[in-house]
mmCIF file of all heavy atoms in Angstrom:
data_model
loop_
_atom_site.group_PDB
_atom_site.id
_atom_site.type_symbol
_atom_site.label_atom_id
_atom_site.label_comp_id
_atom_site.label_asym_id
_atom_site.label_seq_id
_atom_site.Cartn_x
_atom_site.Cartn_y
_atom_site.Cartn_z
ATOM 1 N N TRP A 1226 -174.064 119.723 -23.165
ATOM 2 C CA TRP A 1226 -174.693 120.763 -24.018
ATOM 3 C C TRP A 1226 -175.358 121.839 -23.168
ATOM 4 O O TRP A 1226 -175.832 122.831 -23.654
ATOM 5 C CB TRP A 1226 -175.655 120.151 -25.036
ATOM 6 C CG TRP A 1226 -174.880 119.318 -25.973
ATOM 7 C CD1 TRP A 1226 -174.820 117.945 -25.979
ATOM 8 C CD2 TRP A 1226 -173.941 119.723 -26.974
ATOM 9 N NE1 TRP A 1226 -173.922 117.503 -26.919
ATOM 10 C CE2 TRP A 1226 -173.358 118.584 -27.578
ATOM 11 C CE3 TRP A 1226 -173.554 121.000 -27.421
ATOM 12 C CZ2 TRP A 1226 -172.431 118.650 -28.597
ATOM 13 C CZ3 TRP A 1226 -172.582 121.069 -28.426
ATOM 14 C CH2 TRP A 1226 -172.060 119.957 -29.000
ATOM 15 N N ASN A 1229 -171.401 123.551 -21.819
ATOM 16 C CA ASN A 1229 -170.469 124.246 -22.728
ATOM 17 C C ASN A 1229 -171.145 125.350 -23.506
ATOM 18 O O ASN A 1229 -171.698 125.108 -24.567
ATOM 19 C CB ASN A 1229 -169.845 123.226 -23.691
ATOM 20 C CG ASN A 1229 -168.747 122.393 -23.023
ATOM 21 O OD1 ASN A 1229 -167.578 122.759 -23.011
ATOM 22 N ND2 ASN A 1229 -169.152 121.301 -22.382
ATOM 23 N N TYR A 1231 -169.608 128.247 -24.355
ATOM 24 C CA TYR A 1231 -168.612 129.215 -24.904
ATOM 25 C C TYR A 1231 -168.998 129.712 -26.242
ATOM 26 O O TYR A 1231 -169.770 129.031 -26.965
ATOM 27 C CB TYR A 1231 -167.230 128.540 -24.881
ATOM 28 C CG TYR A 1231 -167.084 127.302 -25.746
ATOM 29 C CD1 TYR A 1231 -167.053 127.319 -27.126
ATOM 30 C CD2 TYR A 1231 -167.032 126.029 -25.120
ATOM 31 C CE1 TYR A 1231 -166.919 126.196 -27.879
ATOM 32 C CE2 TYR A 1231 -166.888 124.893 -25.863
ATOM 33 C CZ TYR A 1231 -166.824 124.960 -27.260
ATOM 34 O OH TYR A 1231 -166.681 123.814 -28.021
ATOM 35 N N ALA A 1235 -170.573 124.443 -30.902
ATOM 36 C CA ALA A 1235 -171.458 123.790 -31.895
ATOM 37 C C ALA A 1235 -170.979 122.344 -31.994
ATOM 38 O O ALA A 1235 -169.906 121.995 -31.565
ATOM 39 C CB ALA A 1235 -171.381 124.457 -33.231
ATOM 40 N N CYS A 1236 -171.863 121.480 -32.579
ATOM 41 C CA CYS A 1236 -171.475 120.114 -32.710
ATOM 42 C C CYS A 1236 -170.688 119.891 -33.978
ATOM 43 O O CYS A 1236 -171.011 120.478 -35.019
ATOM 44 C CB CYS A 1236 -172.676 119.208 -32.668
ATOM 45 S SG CYS A 1236 -172.239 117.515 -32.516
ATOM 46 N N ASP A 1237 -169.657 119.024 -33.923
ATOM 47 C CA ASP A 1237 -168.918 118.705 -35.106
ATOM 48 C C ASP A 1237 -169.339 117.467 -35.787
ATOM 49 O O ASP A 1237 -168.648 116.927 -36.657
ATOM 50 C CB ASP A 1237 -167.382 118.813 -34.882
ATOM 51 C CG ASP A 1237 -166.925 117.855 -33.808
ATOM 52 O OD1 ASP A 1237 -167.692 116.983 -33.404
ATOM 53 O OD2 ASP A 1237 -165.769 117.981 -33.426
ATOM 54 N N VAL A 1238 -170.491 116.935 -35.332
ATOM 55 C CA VAL A 1238 -171.115 115.779 -36.019
ATOM 56 C C VAL A 1238 -172.471 116.294 -36.511
ATOM 57 O O VAL A 1238 -173.172 117.012 -35.777
ATOM 58 C CB VAL A 1238 -171.343 114.588 -35.049
ATOM 59 C CG1 VAL A 1238 -172.121 113.460 -35.699
ATOM 60 C CG2 VAL A 1238 -169.988 114.133 -34.477
ATOM 61 N N TYR A 1243 -176.529 113.448 -34.989
ATOM 62 C CA TYR A 1243 -176.302 113.719 -33.552
ATOM 63 C C TYR A 1243 -177.574 114.115 -32.908
ATOM 64 O O TYR A 1243 -177.815 115.245 -32.468
ATOM 65 C CB TYR A 1243 -175.209 114.800 -33.417
ATOM 66 C CG TYR A 1243 -174.676 114.879 -31.993
ATOM 67 C CD1 TYR A 1243 -173.538 114.098 -31.630
ATOM 68 C CD2 TYR A 1243 -175.227 115.709 -31.057
ATOM 69 C CE1 TYR A 1243 -173.024 114.180 -30.304
ATOM 70 C CE2 TYR A 1243 -174.753 115.758 -29.735
ATOM 71 C CZ TYR A 1243 -173.674 114.954 -29.406
ATOM 72 O OH TYR A 1243 -173.174 115.025 -28.138
ATOM 73 N N LEU A 1319 -167.012 113.530 -20.479
ATOM 74 C CA LEU A 1319 -166.352 114.793 -20.684
ATOM 75 C C LEU A 1319 -167.104 115.852 -19.816
ATOM 76 O O LEU A 1319 -167.578 116.850 -20.331
ATOM 77 C CB LEU A 1319 -166.389 115.220 -22.120
ATOM 78 C CG LEU A 1319 -165.691 114.308 -23.107
ATOM 79 C CD1 LEU A 1319 -166.045 114.686 -24.595
ATOM 80 C CD2 LEU A 1319 -164.189 114.324 -22.944
ATOM 81 N N ARG A 1323 -160.601 119.768 -16.823
ATOM 82 C CA ARG A 1323 -159.250 119.560 -16.314
ATOM 83 C C ARG A 1323 -158.468 120.908 -16.426
ATOM 84 O O ARG A 1323 -158.275 121.408 -17.552
ATOM 85 C CB ARG A 1323 -158.563 118.486 -17.161
ATOM 86 C CG ARG A 1323 -157.111 118.171 -16.591
ATOM 87 C CD ARG A 1323 -156.405 117.316 -17.641
ATOM 88 N NE ARG A 1323 -156.730 115.899 -17.591
ATOM 89 C CZ ARG A 1323 -156.133 115.015 -16.730
ATOM 90 N NH1 ARG A 1323 -155.224 115.409 -15.891
ATOM 91 N NH2 ARG A 1323 -156.492 113.734 -16.829
ATOM 92 N N PRO A 1325 -155.089 123.125 -16.285
ATOM 93 C CA PRO A 1325 -153.720 122.732 -16.511
ATOM 94 C C PRO A 1325 -152.890 122.893 -15.280
ATOM 95 O O PRO A 1325 -153.123 123.855 -14.482
ATOM 96 C CB PRO A 1325 -153.282 123.729 -17.645
ATOM 97 C CG PRO A 1325 -154.148 124.909 -17.469
ATOM 98 C CD PRO A 1325 -155.494 124.363 -16.939
ATOM 99 N N ASP A 1326 -151.935 121.999 -15.122
ATOM 100 C CA ASP A 1326 -151.081 122.068 -13.921
ATOM 101 C C ASP A 1326 -149.884 122.951 -14.320
ATOM 102 O O ASP A 1326 -148.825 122.433 -14.651
ATOM 103 C CB ASP A 1326 -150.671 120.603 -13.648
ATOM 104 C CG ASP A 1326 -149.885 120.508 -12.368
ATOM 105 O OD1 ASP A 1326 -149.887 121.498 -11.602
ATOM 106 O OD2 ASP A 1326 -149.275 119.453 -12.148
ATOM 107 N N ILE A 1327 -150.074 124.242 -14.218
ATOM 108 C CA ILE A 1327 -148.987 125.134 -14.618
ATOM 109 C C ILE A 1327 -148.575 125.970 -13.411
ATOM 110 O O ILE A 1327 -149.431 126.513 -12.712
ATOM 111 C CB ILE A 1327 -149.480 126.090 -15.763
ATOM 112 C CG1 ILE A 1327 -149.825 125.269 -16.991
ATOM 113 C CG2 ILE A 1327 -148.349 127.133 -16.132
ATOM 114 C CD1 ILE A 1327 -150.496 126.102 -18.089
ATOM 115 N N HIS A 1339 -162.296 128.043 -17.438
ATOM 116 C CA HIS A 1339 -162.213 126.890 -18.342
ATOM 117 C C HIS A 1339 -163.290 127.009 -19.458
ATOM 118 O O HIS A 1339 -164.350 127.571 -19.208
ATOM 119 C CB HIS A 1339 -162.449 125.643 -17.541
ATOM 120 C CG HIS A 1339 -162.152 124.315 -18.295
ATOM 121 N ND1 HIS A 1339 -163.094 123.745 -19.101
ATOM 122 C CD2 HIS A 1339 -161.063 123.554 -18.353
ATOM 123 C CE1 HIS A 1339 -162.574 122.654 -19.646
ATOM 124 N NE2 HIS A 1339 -161.344 122.507 -19.230
ATOM 125 N N SER A 1340 -162.946 126.450 -20.608
ATOM 126 C CA SER A 1340 -163.873 126.576 -21.719
ATOM 127 C C SER A 1340 -165.282 126.006 -21.386
ATOM 128 O O SER A 1340 -166.303 126.529 -21.889
ATOM 129 C CB SER A 1340 -163.334 125.752 -22.928
ATOM 130 O OG SER A 1340 -162.999 124.409 -22.576
ATOM 131 N N ILE A 1357 -155.259 128.741 -23.841
ATOM 132 C CA ILE A 1357 -154.348 127.600 -23.782
ATOM 133 C C ILE A 1357 -155.064 126.372 -24.321
ATOM 134 O O ILE A 1357 -156.163 126.042 -23.843
ATOM 135 C CB ILE A 1357 -153.861 127.350 -22.322
ATOM 136 C CG1 ILE A 1357 -153.136 128.557 -21.761
ATOM 137 C CG2 ILE A 1357 -152.943 126.066 -22.319
ATOM 138 C CD1 ILE A 1357 -152.591 128.366 -20.377
ATOM 139 N N GLY A 1358 -154.487 125.749 -25.336
ATOM 140 C CA GLY A 1358 -155.106 124.556 -25.916
ATOM 141 C C GLY A 1358 -155.504 124.817 -27.318
ATOM 142 O O GLY A 1358 -155.823 125.978 -27.782
ATOM 143 N N THR A 1359 -155.462 123.716 -28.116
ATOM 144 C CA THR A 1359 -155.870 123.783 -29.522
ATOM 145 C C THR A 1359 -156.685 122.531 -29.933
ATOM 146 O O THR A 1359 -156.471 121.956 -30.962
ATOM 147 C CB THR A 1359 -154.624 123.905 -30.484
ATOM 148 O OG1 THR A 1359 -153.678 122.813 -30.117
ATOM 149 C CG2 THR A 1359 -153.910 125.206 -30.285
ATOM 150 N N GLY A 1360 -157.534 122.116 -28.986
ATOM 151 C CA GLY A 1360 -158.421 120.968 -29.247
ATOM 152 C C GLY A 1360 -159.749 121.409 -29.838
ATOM 153 O O GLY A 1360 -159.903 122.580 -30.297
ATOM 154 N N ALA A 1361 -160.732 120.495 -29.811
ATOM 155 C CA ALA A 1361 -162.086 120.712 -30.381
ATOM 156 C C ALA A 1361 -162.690 121.966 -29.820
ATOM 157 O O ALA A 1361 -163.414 122.676 -30.518
ATOM 158 C CB ALA A 1361 -162.904 119.521 -30.198
ATOM 159 N N SER A 1362 -162.519 122.245 -28.514
ATOM 160 C CA SER A 1362 -163.185 123.371 -27.902
ATOM 161 C C SER A 1362 -162.481 124.697 -28.317
ATOM 162 O O SER A 1362 -163.098 125.645 -28.785
ATOM 163 C CB SER A 1362 -163.176 123.301 -26.348
ATOM 164 O OG SER A 1362 -163.811 122.147 -25.931
ATOM 165 N N ALA A 1363 -161.126 124.668 -28.233
ATOM 166 C CA ALA A 1363 -160.336 125.842 -28.531
ATOM 167 C C ALA A 1363 -160.571 126.374 -29.968
ATOM 168 O O ALA A 1363 -160.703 127.576 -30.216
ATOM 169 C CB ALA A 1363 -158.882 125.581 -28.265
ATOM 170 N N GLN A 1365 -163.096 126.265 -31.749
ATOM 171 C CA GLN A 1365 -164.368 126.962 -31.904
ATOM 172 C C GLN A 1365 -164.323 128.357 -31.168
ATOM 173 O O GLN A 1365 -164.960 129.315 -31.573
ATOM 174 C CB GLN A 1365 -165.472 126.131 -31.336
ATOM 175 C CG GLN A 1365 -165.676 124.826 -32.140
ATOM 176 C CD GLN A 1365 -166.844 123.949 -31.662
ATOM 177 O OE1 GLN A 1365 -167.229 124.025 -30.463
ATOM 178 N NE2 GLN A 1365 -167.394 123.152 -32.540
ATOM 179 N N TYR A 1380 -151.875 129.478 -27.164
ATOM 180 C CA TYR A 1380 -150.758 128.620 -26.746
ATOM 181 C C TYR A 1380 -151.041 127.194 -27.262
ATOM 182 O O TYR A 1380 -151.935 126.503 -26.823
ATOM 183 C CB TYR A 1380 -150.637 128.650 -25.207
ATOM 184 C CG TYR A 1380 -150.035 129.930 -24.736
ATOM 185 C CD1 TYR A 1380 -150.900 131.027 -24.468
ATOM 186 C CD2 TYR A 1380 -148.678 130.098 -24.666
ATOM 187 C CE1 TYR A 1380 -150.352 132.242 -24.067
ATOM 188 C CE2 TYR A 1380 -148.134 131.326 -24.276
ATOM 189 C CZ TYR A 1380 -148.984 132.387 -23.942
ATOM 190 O OH TYR A 1380 -148.453 133.571 -23.582
ATOM 191 N N GLN A 1381 -150.187 126.831 -28.260
ATOM 192 C CA GLN A 1381 -150.363 125.526 -28.894
ATOM 193 C C GLN A 1381 -149.240 124.558 -28.461
ATOM 194 O O GLN A 1381 -148.078 124.889 -28.654
ATOM 195 C CB GLN A 1381 -150.297 125.683 -30.422
ATOM 196 C CG GLN A 1381 -150.256 124.342 -31.162
ATOM 197 C CD GLN A 1381 -149.969 124.577 -32.659
ATOM 198 O OE1 GLN A 1381 -150.887 124.899 -33.403
ATOM 199 N NE2 GLN A 1381 -148.716 124.388 -33.059
ATOM 200 N N ARG A 1382 -149.667 123.412 -27.929
ATOM 201 C CA ARG A 1382 -148.670 122.371 -27.618
ATOM 202 C C ARG A 1382 -148.527 121.449 -28.728
ATOM 203 O O ARG A 1382 -147.472 121.019 -29.130
ATOM 204 C CB ARG A 1382 -149.138 121.624 -26.334
ATOM 205 C CG ARG A 1382 -148.040 120.880 -25.606
ATOM 206 C CD ARG A 1382 -148.387 120.593 -24.193
ATOM 207 N NE ARG A 1382 -149.581 119.649 -24.109
ATOM 208 C CZ ARG A 1382 -150.033 119.151 -22.956
ATOM 209 N NH1 ARG A 1382 -149.448 119.526 -21.792
ATOM 210 N NH2 ARG A 1382 -151.058 118.394 -22.956
ATOM 211 N N THR A 1383 -149.694 121.094 -29.364
ATOM 212 C CA THR A 1383 -149.676 120.154 -30.533
ATOM 213 C C THR A 1383 -150.608 120.743 -31.561
ATOM 214 O O THR A 1383 -151.722 121.076 -31.249
ATOM 215 C CB THR A 1383 -150.201 118.762 -30.073
ATOM 216 O OG1 THR A 1383 -149.566 118.398 -28.865
ATOM 217 C CG2 THR A 1383 -149.955 117.772 -31.102
ATOM 218 N N LYS A 1468 -155.222 112.005 -33.179
ATOM 219 C CA LYS A 1468 -156.002 112.845 -32.264
ATOM 220 C C LYS A 1468 -157.282 113.185 -32.995
ATOM 221 O O LYS A 1468 -157.353 113.004 -34.205
ATOM 222 C CB LYS A 1468 -155.239 114.127 -31.913
ATOM 223 C CG LYS A 1468 -154.043 113.939 -31.013
ATOM 224 C CD LYS A 1468 -153.146 115.132 -31.048
ATOM 225 C CE LYS A 1468 -153.438 116.023 -29.847
ATOM 226 N NZ LYS A 1468 -152.758 115.577 -28.626
ATOM 227 N N ARG A 1469 -158.254 113.692 -32.308
ATOM 228 C CA ARG A 1469 -159.526 113.989 -32.920
ATOM 229 C C ARG A 1469 -159.316 114.915 -34.102
ATOM 230 O O ARG A 1469 -158.592 115.914 -33.982
ATOM 231 C CB ARG A 1469 -160.448 114.634 -31.938
ATOM 232 C CG ARG A 1469 -161.928 114.766 -32.415
ATOM 233 C CD ARG A 1469 -162.769 115.360 -31.352
ATOM 234 N NE ARG A 1469 -164.169 115.593 -31.826
ATOM 235 C CZ ARG A 1469 -165.130 114.721 -31.729
ATOM 236 N NH1 ARG A 1469 -164.910 113.533 -31.195
ATOM 237 N NH2 ARG A 1469 -166.347 115.029 -32.153
ATOM 238 N N ILE A 1492 -145.079 126.604 -22.073
ATOM 239 C CA ILE A 1492 -145.397 127.500 -20.981
ATOM 240 C C ILE A 1492 -144.659 126.999 -19.747
ATOM 241 O O ILE A 1492 -144.685 125.863 -19.417
ATOM 242 C CB ILE A 1492 -146.901 127.508 -20.647
ATOM 243 C CG1 ILE A 1492 -147.697 127.935 -21.845
ATOM 244 C CG2 ILE A 1492 -147.212 128.325 -19.443
ATOM 245 C CD1 ILE A 1492 -149.215 127.740 -21.710
ATOM 246 N N ALA A 1516 -158.637 125.972 -22.357
ATOM 247 C CA ALA A 1516 -159.422 124.981 -23.125
ATOM 248 C C ALA A 1516 -158.629 123.716 -23.142
ATOM 249 O O ALA A 1516 -158.265 123.187 -24.193
ATOM 250 C CB ALA A 1516 -159.678 125.520 -24.501
ATOM 251 N N THR A 1517 -158.377 123.201 -21.933
ATOM 252 C CA THR A 1517 -157.419 122.122 -21.726
ATOM 253 C C THR A 1517 -158.095 120.781 -21.540
ATOM 254 O O THR A 1517 -157.443 119.827 -21.039
ATOM 255 C CB THR A 1517 -156.467 122.473 -20.588
ATOM 256 O OG1 THR A 1517 -157.243 122.985 -19.521
ATOM 257 C CG2 THR A 1517 -155.451 123.506 -21.032
ATOM 258 N N GLY A 1518 -159.357 120.690 -21.856
ATOM 259 C CA GLY A 1518 -160.007 119.311 -21.835
ATOM 260 C C GLY A 1518 -160.564 118.878 -20.518
ATOM 261 O O GLY A 1518 -160.787 119.710 -19.582
ATOM 262 N N PHE A 1519 -160.704 117.560 -20.370
ATOM 263 C CA PHE A 1519 -161.509 116.980 -19.241
ATOM 264 C C PHE A 1519 -160.763 115.845 -18.614
ATOM 265 O O PHE A 1519 -159.830 115.260 -19.267
ATOM 266 C CB PHE A 1519 -162.858 116.551 -19.806
ATOM 267 C CG PHE A 1519 -163.648 117.698 -20.411
ATOM 268 C CD1 PHE A 1519 -163.464 118.034 -21.706
ATOM 269 C CD2 PHE A 1519 -164.535 118.361 -19.622
ATOM 270 C CE1 PHE A 1519 -164.183 119.102 -22.271
ATOM 271 C CE2 PHE A 1519 -165.246 119.476 -20.172
ATOM 272 C CZ PHE A 1519 -165.049 119.803 -21.498
ATOM 273 N N LEU A 1571 -166.071 107.552 -29.693
ATOM 274 C CA LEU A 1571 -165.907 107.564 -31.164
ATOM 275 C C LEU A 1571 -165.052 108.733 -31.574
ATOM 276 O O LEU A 1571 -165.113 109.814 -30.999
ATOM 277 C CB LEU A 1571 -167.227 107.621 -31.830
ATOM 278 C CG LEU A 1571 -168.278 106.547 -31.549
ATOM 279 C CD1 LEU A 1571 -169.564 106.869 -32.265
ATOM 280 C CD2 LEU A 1571 -167.779 105.208 -31.873
ATOM 281 N N SER A 1631 -149.623 111.805 -28.662
ATOM 282 C CA SER A 1631 -150.186 111.449 -27.334
ATOM 283 C C SER A 1631 -151.546 112.108 -27.303
ATOM 284 O O SER A 1631 -151.714 113.186 -27.820
ATOM 285 C CB SER A 1631 -149.303 111.930 -26.225
ATOM 286 O OG SER A 1631 -149.421 113.329 -26.057
ATOM 287 N N SER A 1632 -152.534 111.430 -26.711
ATOM 288 C CA SER A 1632 -153.847 112.015 -26.739
ATOM 289 C C SER A 1632 -154.572 111.632 -25.444
ATOM 290 O O SER A 1632 -154.135 110.746 -24.735
ATOM 291 C CB SER A 1632 -154.644 111.428 -27.919
ATOM 292 O OG SER A 1632 -154.971 110.077 -27.710
ATOM 293 N N TRP A 1633 -155.715 112.304 -25.243
ATOM 294 C CA TRP A 1633 -156.495 111.958 -24.013
ATOM 295 C C TRP A 1633 -157.186 110.608 -24.147
ATOM 296 O O TRP A 1633 -157.882 110.194 -23.167
ATOM 297 C CB TRP A 1633 -157.486 113.096 -23.679
ATOM 298 C CG TRP A 1633 -158.535 113.426 -24.735
ATOM 299 C CD1 TRP A 1633 -158.548 114.444 -25.633
ATOM 300 C CD2 TRP A 1633 -159.796 112.784 -24.863
ATOM 301 N NE1 TRP A 1633 -159.668 114.468 -26.340
ATOM 302 C CE2 TRP A 1633 -160.540 113.478 -25.914
ATOM 303 C CE3 TRP A 1633 -160.500 111.706 -24.244
ATOM 304 C CZ2 TRP A 1633 -161.801 113.136 -26.334
ATOM 305 C CZ3 TRP A 1633 -161.749 111.368 -24.679
ATOM 306 C CH2 TRP A 1633 -162.388 112.067 -25.745
ATOM 307 N N TYR A 1634 -157.021 109.938 -25.253
ATOM 308 C CA TYR A 1634 -157.562 108.584 -25.381
ATOM 309 C C TYR A 1634 -156.764 107.582 -24.571
ATOM 310 O O TYR A 1634 -157.210 106.473 -24.286
ATOM 311 C CB TYR A 1634 -157.586 108.148 -26.829
ATOM 312 C CG TYR A 1634 -158.299 109.062 -27.833
ATOM 313 C CD1 TYR A 1634 -157.857 109.181 -29.140
ATOM 314 C CD2 TYR A 1634 -159.436 109.756 -27.436
ATOM 315 C CE1 TYR A 1634 -158.523 110.009 -30.037
ATOM 316 C CE2 TYR A 1634 -160.123 110.553 -28.369
ATOM 317 C CZ TYR A 1634 -159.663 110.710 -29.637
ATOM 318 O OH TYR A 1634 -160.280 111.477 -30.543
HETATM 319 P P1 NAP B 2586 -158.855 118.365 -25.617
HETATM 320 O O1 NAP B 2586 -159.202 117.811 -26.918
HETATM 321 O O2 NAP B 2586 -158.369 117.505 -24.573
HETATM 322 O O3 NAP B 2586 -157.856 119.538 -25.905
HETATM 323 C C1 NAP B 2586 -157.119 120.120 -24.860
HETATM 324 C C2 NAP B 2586 -156.045 121.023 -25.487
HETATM 325 O O4 NAP B 2586 -155.344 121.641 -24.408
HETATM 326 C C3 NAP B 2586 -155.034 120.267 -26.268
HETATM 327 O O5 NAP B 2586 -154.650 121.104 -27.358
HETATM 328 C C4 NAP B 2586 -153.896 120.090 -25.298
HETATM 329 O O6 NAP B 2586 -152.618 119.955 -25.946
HETATM 330 C C5 NAP B 2586 -153.996 121.372 -24.547
HETATM 331 N N1 NAP B 2586 -153.402 121.311 -23.207
HETATM 332 C C6 NAP B 2586 -153.818 120.573 -22.153
HETATM 333 N N2 NAP B 2586 -153.056 120.786 -21.106
HETATM 334 C C7 NAP B 2586 -152.142 121.721 -21.476
HETATM 335 C C8 NAP B 2586 -151.066 122.358 -20.792
HETATM 336 N N3 NAP B 2586 -150.805 122.068 -19.564
HETATM 337 N N4 NAP B 2586 -150.341 123.248 -21.517
HETATM 338 C C9 NAP B 2586 -150.598 123.548 -22.764
HETATM 339 N N5 NAP B 2586 -151.616 122.958 -23.502
HETATM 340 C C10 NAP B 2586 -152.343 122.087 -22.815
HETATM 341 O O7 NAP B 2586 -160.141 119.159 -24.984
HETATM 342 P P2 NAP B 2586 -161.370 119.863 -25.726
HETATM 343 O O8 NAP B 2586 -160.882 120.731 -26.773
HETATM 344 O O9 NAP B 2586 -162.204 120.467 -24.661
HETATM 345 O O10 NAP B 2586 -162.117 118.651 -26.339
HETATM 346 C C11 NAP B 2586 -162.349 117.484 -25.608
HETATM 347 C C12 NAP B 2586 -163.301 116.621 -26.337
HETATM 348 O O11 NAP B 2586 -164.618 117.154 -26.241
HETATM 349 C C13 NAP B 2586 -163.074 116.504 -27.808
HETATM 350 O O12 NAP B 2586 -162.066 115.651 -28.259
HETATM 351 C C14 NAP B 2586 -164.424 116.119 -28.308
HETATM 352 O O13 NAP B 2586 -164.658 114.710 -28.122
HETATM 353 C C15 NAP B 2586 -165.332 116.861 -27.356
HETATM 354 N N6 NAP B 2586 -165.737 118.101 -28.024
HETATM 355 C C16 NAP B 2586 -166.636 118.008 -29.029
HETATM 356 C C17 NAP B 2586 -167.040 119.128 -29.673
HETATM 357 C C18 NAP B 2586 -168.041 118.945 -30.760
HETATM 358 O O14 NAP B 2586 -168.175 119.785 -31.568
HETATM 359 N N7 NAP B 2586 -168.795 117.848 -30.816
HETATM 360 C C19 NAP B 2586 -166.568 120.388 -29.290
HETATM 361 C C20 NAP B 2586 -165.652 120.528 -28.248
HETATM 362 C C21 NAP B 2586 -165.294 119.316 -27.621
HETATM 363 P P3 NAP B 2586 -152.125 118.534 -26.495
HETATM 364 O O15 NAP B 2586 -152.890 118.312 -27.752
HETATM 365 O O16 NAP B 2586 -150.682 118.708 -26.716
HETATM 366 O O17 NAP B 2586 -152.432 117.547 -25.438
#
Side-chain angles (χ1 to χ4, degrees):
W1226 296 105
N1229 282 272
Y1231 58 76
C1236 190
D1237 58 11
V1238 175
Y1243 195 89
L1319 298 169
R1323 183 193 279 275
D1326 186 14
I1327 299 173
H1339 188 276
S1340 54
I1357 300 181
T1359 52
S1362 301
Q1365 296 182 334
Y1380 287 89
Q1381 172 189 280
R1382 199 163 63 177
T1383 314
K1468 288 165 98 80
R1469 189 177 177 91
I1492 300 171
T1517 44
F1519 300 86
L1571 302 178
S1631 75
S1632 71
W1633 61 261
Y1634 304 148

